[in-house]
Structure formats: C-alpha cells, structure tokens
C-alpha cells in the first residue's frame, strides 16, 4: 500500500521512520504549499495523511477567517476528487508564546481550533473516504512541552520532538495495518479477578468488587470498554472455572454489571482446561483460533492456553489492576482497531444468537434437506454498488475459509474493479426465518475474450453448507452463457485455511483442466452444466 | 554508553551497528546528512535525558563528541 504524508511543517524525520515499516512512503513537496501537488495531480497514493500544524497554517494570514475557509475548501475539493483514496486530516493545535498581562486573556486560538474540528466533523459525516487524524489529542496527552521542540525548530525547521513523531508514526502504522490486515473477532474472558474483583464463590454476589467509584471502578471501567468493543462487532465470550449458579446470580442480581448475560455469545463455565473450552468456542462460532484473544488474570491459565493453543493471542494481564482500562485500550488498538463501524458490526452479536437457534432447528430436523427447506431462505443478489464498498472490503480482507483464491483486494482496488466494465462483481444477502444474515457472499467475474474467469468467490462461514453458492452460480452461469460467453473458468488457490472449498468446483460439476500442488483451474461449458439443488428463493435486485 | 550511542546512530542511519564505531565521523558516513544530524541530536537528548546547547550542535563531527554531553 502506498502512503502519502503531507504537511505544512518538516516531517522528513517522520517519513524516514515510516519508511522502515512500509515500502512506499511519499512525502509531499514544500511546506506552505503542501496542497499544490494534490490539487494539480490528485492523490497518487492509496492513503494520504495531512498532518497540519495549526500555528503555521495561519502564521502569515492577513485575514484569518478567509484563510480558514480557503483551507477547508481545498481539503473538501481534494477529498471529493479522490473518492477512491482515503484521506486523513489532522485536528490542529495553535500554540503561540506571547507576553501579555493576566487580564489580557485571548481565546481566538481556541476558537479557531474548535472551528477547524467542527468542519472536520462535517467532512467526516459527508465523505466516506475522509477520516480525522486526531493530532490535537496526541499533543494534549503528551503535553506541548514534550511535543514541540524549539531546538529542532531552530536547527532544522523541525517542529516536533522525536517522541511526538514516534506517536504520530505509531498511529499511522496502526491505521495502515488496519486497512491491510484482518482484525481479530472474539475475546474470551475469565470472570473472577478479571471482569470483577474477588472470587464470587468466596465473597458472594453482592460483595464482588464492582462499582462506579473507588476500587470497584477498575473493573467497571474495564467492562464499559468491553461493551464498546462489543458494539464495534467484537464477539464477547466467557471461559471461567466457576459454579454456573453463582455466575447466573451475578448477572441477575448485581446492578453494577455493565455487561449483561446476553452480551456474551458463548459461555463456558466449568472445570475443563481452558484450552479445551476455547477450542469449543471457536468451533461453535465457526471462527479460527487465530482470531481469538484470551484475557485472564491467572498466569497459569494463560500459560496453559499459550502452550496448547499457540494460535490464540494471549496478552499479559496487567499486574497493577489500576491499569486495566489502559490495558483494554491497548488490546483494542493492537487487535481490534476499527476505522469505521459497518452495519454488520452492529448486528454481529444478534446474528450469532440467530445462528444458535438455527443450530437447534438443525438438530431437530430429520435431514439436512428438510432443515434447509424449513429455513425459508431468501437470497438477494445484486451488482455491487459504491455504498457496498466497505462491507465488500471486509469480506475480501477477512474471509479465510470459503475463499477460493484469497485475493486480498483493498477498498481502492475493489472500487476500481467495480468501475471496470470487463468486471462483474456480485454481492448476496441471505435472509431466513431466524433473521438476516447480512451481506455474506461476493463474487468477482473477469471477462476475458470468450470466457469469464471466477477471480474471487467468497462466502462468510456463517451461511456455509446451505447450497447458496449452487443457487447463485446456476443463475450467473446462465446469464453469462446467454450473454454469449462460451466458457467459465473456476480457480482454486490453496492457502492454509481454505481446505473446506478445495473441491467446490468439482462439486459444482466443473472439469479440472489444470492441477498442481497449490492451484487448480476448472472449466464449465454450457453443455456440461449440471442440474443442481435449488434451495431457497433467489431474488434479483 | 558508547554502545548505546552507536546503537542510536545505527537506527537513525539505518545501517548495521557493526559498521560504526565511536570514532565514526560525518565525513565518512554518507547517511549522516543534515536531517540525520538533527534526528540524532534529538534522539540522544531524549534517550539520555540531556540537553545539548544549540551553539555546540555544529561542533559535533564524530559520534564520540556526544560523550561530552551524556556523561561517562
């Protein structure tokens, strides 16, 4: 991914730091005219960071207000003209030492900072590709004395200290990583001395440490942050060596509990080894062990899980429990950092509960076919639209198992493919009587001469095994054949995780035309197209 | 102390610390340009918690010159 850093002050040092992490870091030319090249040529990189120094922005302004308007207009223009690029614009800090009397109190800088943030907030709500880079908060948390360096300013026109630049670099790295890598999905939590203070079996439901103020607030604050993680679509689960009746009582009776019983999609309250319970949770939720973070105050349990399930992330629990909130903030930044919450995220916990109901129904049914018939599935299929970009990117970046070629396109690349006439991108949403599964299917077909190549076929694990792909492929194949294409080419590229679909195209009746250790290529012609199961209703949108 | 200075310099110059010594000077190390010079001063000040007077920053030509400020 290409990264651009644009600033009205010298950030060459920052760019050097970033270059040791990323291959392609560009820095904007000039300082006062940091936006010229962007206005002239557009953004060349995938993501651009505008790190702006508040004081320098207005240093020579004769009319501060019109200068302000001018900057905002420029930023908005750049953002609207580069829709496929992500643009991060910093909040500003205006710091100026001035000798004045105590009585002479001047708030014009503060007002300007506020106006700036207000405009950024507006841009943030109006443009999907616009994000706020909260520089002001970094300056506040480090303190101006530690953020700015007079010496470096006089020596090399560098305004920020080394530690300030490190802080900015860390945040940029975190943001870029979030765009490139899949975030984790689930937190497994211990209870006693983790979610609350004390051992509930010993002290009783009302006496566990959990309160708004003082000692118990360590745990309550921790729970508040966990609840926020849940709202970002992170699945919360419990794994505790405990008596279930005590735990139920805590959920029912302790009014200080921020997290409710229904916030957890799985609970393992028993005396089995935690590694065993975590494996079970992974299986039930149909997620990989490597998408789980395990939090437990006991070093023995942590070690047990680390040894037996090396894929699971096991962060060190803080020795000083007043650090609990900082600890969970770090866990968020490291494993769950999220640029923008999707509609899917908000519903995630509910969707997993719907799934539990489905599993129960499945157990009751005599056969799989009977169960699938009873599900009353409605498969909505449509051509990808710009408003689907976020979810589509999520599917492409995060799906490991039902992913035939595992091409990890970025949002920008997907947007390009979407606008490419030789490319068909379809998405599908699946509803059934237990609820909406959300957008769970993505297919990219590339038209090459007389054939269509299935470049990507991806389905979220929560709907696997319902012959949805059969239904969709039958429709698309017919459509392509009708459009005059002679053959459809399927591709399977092996990864560590996508074994479940290694024979998918065989099952769909495709002929193997090439095969080696890591790759299979298939072909289907109109004549060879088989009859397939037709389960549920296909609705074209 | 010397090792730490070399280590800091190596990370800023992005080179193998074994190719540096406390005697290394600006004339022989290409990566020690004016930006690297400022970054090096900033890093040394922060890591050792010292302040190198502005007037003297121009007199630093070799890594060993930093020893005057960081104490021994």
């Amino acid at each position: 991914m290409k990264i651009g850093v644009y600033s009205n002050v010298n950030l060459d040092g920052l760019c050097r730091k970033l270059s040791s992490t990323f291959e392609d870091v560009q820095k904007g030319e000039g300082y006062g005219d940091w936006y010229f090249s962007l206005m002239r040529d557009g953004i060349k990189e995938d993501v651009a960071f505008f790190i702006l120094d508040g004081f320098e922005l207005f240093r020579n302004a004769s009319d501060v207000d019109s200068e302000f308007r001018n900057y905002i207009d420029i930023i908005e223009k750049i953002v609207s003209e580069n829709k496929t690029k992500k643009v991060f614009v910093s909040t500003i800090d205006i710091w100026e030492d001035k000798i004045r009397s105590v009585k002479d109190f001047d708030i014009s800088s503060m007002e300007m900072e506020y106006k700036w943030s207000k405009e950024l907030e507006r841009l943030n709500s109006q443009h999907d590709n616009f994000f706020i880079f909260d520089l002001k908060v970094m300056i506040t948390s480090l303190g101006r004395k530690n953020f700015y360096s007079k010496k470096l300013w006089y020596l090399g026109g560098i305004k920020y200290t080394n530690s300030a630049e490190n802080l900015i670099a860390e945040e940029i790295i975190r943001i870029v990583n979030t765009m490139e890598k899949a975030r984790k999905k689930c937190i497994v939590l211990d209870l006693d001395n983790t979610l609350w203070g004390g051992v509930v079996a010993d002290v009783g439901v009302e006496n566990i440490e959990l309160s708004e103020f003082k000692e118990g607030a360590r745990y309550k604050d921790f729970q508040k942050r966990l609840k926020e993680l849940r709202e970002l679509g992170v699945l919360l689960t419990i794994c505790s060596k405990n008596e279930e009746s005590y735990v139920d009582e805590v959920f029912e009776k302790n009014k200080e509990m921020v997290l409710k019983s229904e916030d957890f999609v799985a609970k393992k309250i028993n005396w089995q080894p935690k590694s065993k319970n975590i494996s079970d949770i992974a299986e039930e939720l149909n997620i990989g062990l490597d998408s789980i973070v395990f939090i437990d105050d006991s070093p023995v349990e942590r070690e047990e899980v680390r040894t037996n399930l090396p894929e699971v992330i096991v962060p060190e629990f803080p020795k000083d429990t007043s650090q609990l909130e900082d600890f969970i903030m770090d866990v968020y930044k490291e494993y769950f950092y999220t640029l923008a919450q999707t509609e899917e995220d908000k519903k995630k916990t509910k969707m997993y509960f719907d799934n539990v109901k489905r599993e129960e129904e499945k157990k009751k049914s005599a056969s799989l076919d009977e169960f699938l018939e009873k599900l009353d599935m409605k498969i909505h299929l449509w051509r990808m639209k710009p408003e689907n970009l976020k979810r589509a990117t999520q599917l492409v970046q995060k799906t490991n198992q039902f992913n035939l070629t595992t091409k990890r396109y970025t949002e920008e690349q997907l947007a390009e493919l979407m606008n490419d006439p030789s490319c068909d991108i379809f998405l599908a949403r699946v509803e059934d009587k237990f609820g909406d599964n959300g957008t769970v299917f993505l297919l990219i077909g590339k038209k090459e001469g007389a054939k269509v190549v299935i470049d990507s076929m991806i389905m979220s694990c929560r709907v696997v095994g319902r012959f949805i792909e059969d239904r969709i492929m039958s429709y698309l194949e017919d459509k392509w054949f009708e459009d005059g294409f002679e053959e459809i080419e399927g591709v399977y590229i092996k990864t560590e995780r996508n074994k479940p679909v290694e024979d998918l195209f065989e099952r769909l009746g495709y002929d193997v035309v090439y095969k080696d250790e890591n790759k299979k290529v298939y072909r289907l012609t109109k004549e060879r197209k088989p009859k397939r199961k037709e389960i549920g209703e296909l609705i074209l949108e | 102390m010397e090792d730490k200075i070399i280590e800091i310099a190596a990370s800023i110059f992005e080179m193998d610390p074994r190719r540096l010594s406390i005697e290394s000077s600006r004339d022989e190390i290409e990566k020690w340009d004016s930006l690297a010079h400022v970054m090096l001063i900033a890093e040394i000040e922060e890591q050792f918690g010292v302040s190198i007077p502005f007037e003297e920053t121009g007199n630093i030509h070799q890594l060993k010159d930093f020893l005057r400020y960081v104490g021994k």
Side-chain angles (χ1 to χ4, degrees):
Chain A
M1 190 171 303
K2 285 188 185 154
I3 298 151
V5 177
Y6 297 86
S7 181
N8 59 341
V9 290
N10 184 342
L11 288 181
D12 295 357
L14 173 77
C15 291
R16 274 197 198 177
K17 284 180 183 141
L18 290 172
S19 301
S20 57
T21 309
F22 302 117
E23 261 171 45
D24 204 337
V25 180
Q26 296 298 321
K27 86 182 154 64
E29 47 193 60
Y31 301 117
D33 46 2
W34 55 273
Y35 51 84
F36 280 10
S37 71
L38 292 167
M39 297 281 277
R40 193 182 57 220
D41 315 321
I43 298 172
K44 293 268 200 313
E45 302 83 18
D46 301 302
V47 48
F49 294 89
F50 299 179
I51 310 292
L52 302 172
D53 185 84
F55 180 76
E56 297 303 326
L57 277 180
F58 303 107
R59 180 192 276 273
N60 297 318
S62 50
D63 179 349
V64 172
D65 285 319
S66 76
E67 193 76 353
F68 168 81
R69 247 338 324 149
N70 184 33
Y71 284 130
I72 296 295
D73 290 345
I74 288 168
I75 290 170
E76 185 152 23
K77 190 164 186 290
I78 295 171
V79 170
S80 339
E81 284 175 359
N82 297 272
K83 280 198 190 313
T84 61
K85 316 288 182 156
K86 286 194 169 67
V87 183
F88 287 77
V89 178
S90 74
T91 49
I92 55 171
D93 177 60
I94 303 176
W95 188 31
E96 187 182 9
D97 275 334
K98 231 180 193 172
I99 293 177
R100 54 162 83 97
S101 75
V102 178
K103 202 73 185 156
D104 181 12
F105 188 69
D106 179 12
I107 60 163
S108 57
S109 302
M110 278 181 261
E111 279 176 331
M112 188 51 88
E113 290 171 16
Y114 175 76
K115 267 171 66 182
W116 183 271
S117 297
K118 197 82 191 143
E119 281 298 310
L120 294 196
E121 187 201 19
R122 179 181 64 79
L123 293 172
N124 186 44
S125 64
Q126 290 175 357
H127 301 271
D128 272 350
N129 61 325
F130 178 90
F131 296 86
I132 295 171
F133 188 89
D134 207 346
L135 185 69
K136 174 78 185 178
V137 156
M138 292 181 197
I139 297 173
T140 315
S141 62
L142 201 61
R144 280 170 168 168
K145 286 262 182 252
N146 296 317
F147 203 93
Y148 295 100
S149 167
K150 288 264 156 71
K151 187 177 290 162
L152 298 183
W153 173 245
Y154 295 130
L155 268 179
I158 296 168
K159 238 182 146 157
Y160 307 140
T161 60
N162 211 15
S163 27
E165 287 192 344
N166 286 338
L167 213 58
I168 299 172
E170 270 171 36
E171 178 67 9
I172 291 179
I173 291 168
R174 195 177 293 135
I175 289 168
V176 175
N177 281 342
T178 306
M179 295 193 275
E180 286 186 322
K181 292 183 198 148
R183 65 173 197 184
K184 306 290 169 196
K185 292 178 178 156
C186 169
I187 300 184
V188 178
L189 287 153
D190 174 45
L191 295 176
D192 289 333
N193 285 318
T194 298
L195 220 50
W196 54 70
V199 176
V200 64
D202 296 344
V203 300
V205 172
E206 293 303 326
N207 296 322
I208 53 173
E209 282 180 56
L210 190 66
S211 56
E212 191 63 34
F213 300 106
K214 301 278 294 281
E215 295 90 341
R218 289 168 298 162
Y219 297 98
K220 192 159 181 177
D221 290 342
F222 181 55
Q223 287 200 16
K224 287 179 187 165
R225 301 293 85 78
L226 285 166
K227 186 111 176 173
E228 287 157 4
L229 276 174
R230 195 204 87 119
E231 275 147 30
L232 283 181
V234 176
L235 298 168
L236 302 182
T237 62
I238 291 171
C239 176
S240 166
K241 289 182 174 165
N242 230 315
E243 290 298 335
E244 205 163 355
S245 58
Y246 286 119
V247 177
D248 289 345
E249 222 183 319
V250 173
F251 279 118
E252 275 163 37
K253 297 198 178 143
N254 193 307
K255 302 256 180 314
E256 302 291 338
M257 285 291 288
V258 178
L259 293 167
K260 308 294 177 201
S261 183
E262 59 271 20
D263 289 327
F264 297 92
V265 292
K267 298 192 193 79
K268 299 286 164 198
I269 299 162
N270 54 43
W271 303 90
Q272 301 229 42
K274 297 219 170 184
S275 55
K276 162 86 174 66
N277 281 324
I278 293 173
S279 310
D280 290 350
I281 289 175
E283 199 168 307
E284 269 169 46
L285 300 179
N286 210 351
I287 57 178
L289 284 166
D290 59 358
S291 58
I292 291 179
V293 176
F294 173 59
I295 296 179
D296 196 312
D297 66 297
S298 155
V300 179
E301 299 295 355
R302 291 200 301 272
E303 204 43 47
E304 192 268 326
V305 172
R306 271 194 205 118
T307 311
N308 294 318
L309 300 175
E311 304 98 314
V312 172
I313 304 278
V314 186
E316 272 306 292
F317 195 81
K319 286 201 179 68
D320 171 0
T321 46
S322 65
Q323 306 292 317
L324 258 179
E325 193 177 24
D326 292 343
F327 163 71
I328 196 67
M329 291 301 285
D330 288 343
V331 167
Y332 164 62
K333 287 179 183 166
E334 183 77 25
Y335 306 112
F336 299 99
Y337 206 56
T338 309
L339 289 187
Q341 179 194 39
T342 62
E343 283 305 309
E344 303 284 323
D345 289 337
K346 289 183 205 163
K347 291 186 292 193
K348 199 133 229 178
T349 298
K350 184 186 174 298
M351 289 198 290
Y352 273 89
F353 276 120
D354 293 342
N355 229 4
V356 172
K357 286 187 211 133
R358 278 183 205 104
E359 286 299 315
E360 282 165 10
E361 174 91 22
K362 195 169 169 181
K363 276 182 202 150
K364 277 191 276 170
S365 306
S367 68
L368 181 63
D369 283 352
E370 185 198 313
F371 162 69
L372 292 173
E373 278 307 323
K374 275 203 282 187
L375 264 183
D376 235 348
M377 265 196 306
K378 291 188 176 60
I379 304 166
H380 302 263
L381 185 73
W382 72 94
R383 237 173 235 281
M384 180 164 140
K385 297 188 246 335
E387 59 264 34
N388 308 130
L389 260 177
K390 239 185 251 170
R391 174 59 184 161
T393 309
Q394 226 178 21
L395 278 170
V396 167
Q397 295 281 342
K398 296 205 326 190
T399 314
N400 295 318
Q401 292 177 350
F402 195 113
N403 195 334
L404 275 301
T405 53
T406 319
K407 295 189 181 171
R408 302 291 195 197
Y409 294 116
T410 62
E411 190 172 323
E412 292 70 29
Q413 290 168 325
L414 276 178
E416 267 171 45
L417 291 175
M418 183 177 68
N419 295 324
D420 181 346
S422 71
C423 205
D424 278 345
I425 309 186
F426 286 95
L427 289 171
R429 184 169 66 86
V430 175
E431 270 182 298
D432 59 44
K433 70 170 179 183
F434 293 105
D436 191 347
N437 294 279
T439 304
V440 286
F441 179 92
L442 176 140
L443 182 139
I444 303 176
K446 288 188 174 166
K447 301 168 190 168
E448 297 176 2
K451 70 178 178 186
V452 177
V453 180
I454 310 297
D455 174 82
S456 295
M457 195 197 314
I458 294 166
M459 189 156 69
S460 166
C461 358
R462 57 180 181 254
V463 293
V464 166
R466 300 198 203 168
F467 302 99
I468 293 168
E469 62 277 23
D470 297 52
R471 196 70 209 252
I472 294 176
M473 285 310 283
S474 286
Y475 167 77
L476 291 177
E477 287 156 3
D478 285 345
K479 189 186 114 54
W480 284 321
F481 289 138
E482 253 168 54
D483 289 348
F485 291 98
E486 283 159 23
E487 66 170 81
I488 297 165
E489 185 175 297
V491 185
Y492 168 77
I493 298 170
K494 187 170 155 188
T495 69
E496 270 174 36
R497 305 285 298 275
N498 69 353
K499 193 156 173 47
V501 291
E502 68 179 341
D503 296 324
L504 179 84
F505 280 113
E506 276 95 337
R507 192 175 68 68
L508 291 174
Y510 281 61
D511 299 314
V512 181
V513 292
Y514 172 81
K515 185 175 177 176
D516 66 31
E517 221 171 275
N518 300 310
K519 187 177 177 181
K520 287 194 273 186
V521 180
Y522 304 83
R523 180 190 300 136
L524 184 78
T525 53
K526 196 171 177 178
E527 301 71 40
R528 297 276 299 146
K529 190 184 158 171
K531 186 97 185 100
R532 303 195 188 109
K533 271 199 172 93
E534 289 199 353
I535 293 171
E537 188 186 347
L538 185 72
I539 301 165
L540 303 170
E541 289 181 359
Chain B
M1 202 69 85
E2 293 186 2
D3 289 347
K4 191 163 177 199
I5 292 174
I6 291 169
E7 190 192 311
I8 292 170
S11 82
I12 286 173
F13 305 154
E14 289 174 327
M15 53 195 281
D16 187 342
R18 282 169 301 189
R19 291 181 50 214
L20 287 171
S21 80
I22 201 70
E23 303 288 333
S24 297
S25 77
R26 290 184 74 167
D27 304 329
E28 49 183 295
I29 294 163
E30 203 185 326
K31 294 254 178 94
W32 193 343
D33 58 14
S34 57
L35 174 64
H37 191 58
V38 178
M39 286 171 76
L40 186 57
I41 288 167
E43 187 77 32
I44 297 239
E45 285 193 341
E46 277 185 30
Q47 297 249 352
F48 290 94
V50 296
S51 176
I52 300 166
F54 184 89
E55 283 65 23
E56 294 173 28
T57 52
N59 299 333
I60 292 168
H61 296 291
Q62 284 173 282
L63 290 181
K64 70 175 182 193
D65 293 333
F66 283 109
L67 289 169
R68 286 203 293 270
Y69 309 101
V70 301
K72 287 190 184 177

